Amino acid sequence: MDREFLKERIASTKTLIVAYEDAATQLSSGAVQSYSLNTGQTTQNVTRFDVVRLNREIDGLYNRLVTLEARLNGSGVVISRPGW
């Protein structure tokens, strides 16, 4: 893959992580009941009940970030599961 492409995807993923974490933090604090989440592509209105979904999205974004950074740096990513 092209290094510049990977750098762009990494920057985009980091921006998404910040947006999702800001939304989850605001909603978890109890200070707001709903939050307008702007991902740069879409704007979503999320509520306190969406915090679990937001946290799953954040986890997925961090996994994507690690994979992209590993590809950029020339190292591999090992995904393993228990044998039971």
Side-chain angles (χ1 to χ4, degrees), residues 18-57:
V18 170
Y20 276 87
E21 284 183 341
D22 287 348
T25 300
Q26 288 295 319
L27 293 169
S28 296
S29 71
V32 296
Q33 297 296 319
S34 68
Y35 187 88
S36 181
L37 174 61
N38 184 350
T39 63
Q41 295 177 345
T42 63
T43 301
Q44 307 171 38
N45 288 320
V46 291
T47 66
R48 290 183 310 146
F49 301 108
D50 294 317
V51 171
V52 172
R53 181 179 63 85
L54 291 173
N55 285 328
R56 279 195 307 259
E57 290 289 332

Side-chain angles (χ1 to χ4, degrees), residues 65-78:
L65 179 62
V66 168
T67 301
L68 290 170
E69 287 178 341
R71 288 178 183 166
L72 179 66
N73 297 323
S75 58
V77 175
V78 177

Side-chain angles (χ1 to χ4, degrees), residues 4-5 43 80-81:
E4 289 306 313
F5 172 78
T43 301
S80 63
R81 296 195 171 113

